[in-house]
Amino acid sequence: MKQVAVILSGSGVFDGAELHEAVLTLLAIEQEGASYQCFAPNVNQLHVVNHLTGEVSEGETRNVLVESARIARGDIKPVSECDVSAFDTLILPGGFGAAKNLCTFAVDGENCTFNEDVLTVCKAFAQAKKPAAYACIAPALAAKVYGNKTKMTIGSDVETAGGLNALGATHVECPVDEVVVDNDAKLVTTPAYMLAQSISEAHASISKMVKTVLAMK
């Protein structure tokens, strides 16, 4: 049975992990006959967004690991404890948390900074030539990790794609129900909610990504 490390970035599309993408990822992993362990950085979120109003909640702080534990039903570890040798595959669902808490791409674009613990784990999978998959806006991290003109997708927004290219990747436009595969890097990316207009479209995107990355040797 393949073992998958899943890195989450909080809980909620606007300031954490996209909940639909995260849950669909975990479901798809099980449906493909694999198992997973969730991880998240033990740091405070960039900010907290009221998901009812879409406004930033002034003066409120939340921890990325604590919030991610909501999705993982408490079964989660700090990303600093992720032993790459214990896993076959790495998967990062999207949501603004991937671009606010795992890195600052949402705020700083190509000039963004990266959480060192997350970057260390992602780079370790890449250096070990183990397959990895990044959904939605999470390929901003993949661009930093792989560089070298590695092919990946982040939807169809021109400015966002430009930021990916500036980080050293090669952006490829991709329909919501398809994936972009870079076989040399063993990397799979999919647009998910960068393009999805419904949970069923997100499901098509995520399930194709998980199926594809788990089929890689």
Side-chain angles (χ1 to χ4, degrees):
M1 179 184 289
K2 287 192 173 180
Q3 308 293 322
V4 183
V6 178
I7 298 180
L8 300 174
S9 58
S11 178
V13 58
F14 300 125
D15 59 9
E18 211 298 319
L19 282 160
H20 295 172
E21 290 181 11
V23 173
L24 289 168
T25 295
L26 302 182
L27 176 61
I29 290 168
E30 280 201 356
Q31 289 179 328
E32 291 299 318
S35 66
Y36 61 81
Q37 174 64 54
C38 293
F39 296 91
N42 186 10
V43 296
N44 283 339
Q45 295 179 185
L46 171 69
H47 55 207
V48 177
V49 174
N50 180 326
H51 281 60
L52 186 61
T53 65
E55 296 176 353
V56 174
S57 300
E58 298 296 340
E60 186 176 354
T61 59
R62 295 192 185 189
N63 178 280
V64 176
L65 179 60
V66 172
E67 291 300 297
S68 298
R70 294 174 178 271
I71 299 171
R73 295 171 62 89
D75 184 11
I76 194 166
K77 298 177 181 179
V79 72
S80 57
E81 295 180 13
C82 181
D83 178 3
V84 176
S85 66
F87 296 94
D88 304 291
T89 308
L90 172 69
I91 299 181
L92 277 77
F96 275 108
K100 289 180 176 179
N101 304 328
L102 307 187
C103 68
T104 62
F105 184 79
V107 179
D108 301 319
E110 64 187 85
N111 299 311
C112 60
T113 57
F114 296 81
N115 177 280
E116 287 300 325
D117 288 337
V118 173
L119 199 59
T120 296
V121 170
C122 292
K123 283 183 173 179
F125 273 91
Q127 288 161 0
K129 297 293 185 184
K130 293 188 175 185
Y134 293 68
C136 191
I137 203 166
L141 282 140
K144 173 70 172 178
V145 170
Y146 293 91
N148 201 32
K149 302 298 181 186
T150 301
K151 293 184 296 184
M152 58 188 75
T153 191
I154 200 164
S156 59
D157 181 75
V158 174
E159 186 177 347
T160 308
L164 211 65
N165 291 335
L167 284 167
T170 298
H171 181 262
V172 180
E173 281 203 27
C174 172
V176 69
D177 58 347
E178 288 295 336
V179 296
V180 170
V181 178
D182 191 301
N183 285 310
D184 290 339
K186 295 189 177 179
L187 177 69
V188 181
T189 53
T190 194
Y193 272 111
M194 293 300 285
L195 295 179
Q197 299 297 309
S198 65
I199 191 171
S200 57
E201 286 190 355
H203 170 61
S205 182
I206 294 292
S207 59
K208 181 76 174 282
M209 178 190 76
V210 172
K211 188 181 203 65
T212 303
V213 76
L214 287 178
M216 285 182 160
K217 302 298 184 186

